[in-house]
Amino acid sequence: MNSRKIKLALSVSLLNDSSGNALLAAQDLMASFKDEVGAFLGLSQLKREPLNESHIRERYALKYERCTLDLDLVSNSMTNSRQVQRLQLR
């Protein structure tokens, strides 16, 4: 598995994502690497913590047969937007 290629593709895809749904965009992109990462096994929310009255940090794990993609997202309830704070492929 070429993790550098996958991380680069994820970064570019998430930067260019206009849908606002980073989880769906990441899952769609990972599907294109199915030969390397294996089948999608599931999504779980690992953590949810408020940062202030309008921002919430959420940590998700997208599990595949050969790896797990961790995404940290910061959501703004005032603007209904989500930004990717961190991604890690392990």
Side-chain angles (χ1 to χ4, degrees), residues 67-85:
C67 66
T68 300
L69 174 64
D70 293 328
L71 284 176
D72 286 359
L73 305 175
V74 175
S75 302
N76 184 336
S77 61
M78 303 286 239
T79 62
N80 291 325
S81 64
R82 268 187 176 167
Q83 299 295 321
V84 177
Q85 185 178 33

Side-chain angles (χ1 to χ4, degrees), residues 34-49:
K34 186 175 182 176
D35 292 340
E36 295 183 49
V37 299
F40 180 67
L41 301 176
L43 167 74
S44 59
Q45 184 179 37
L46 304 175
K47 194 175 196 182
R48 180 181 168 94
E49 62 183 342

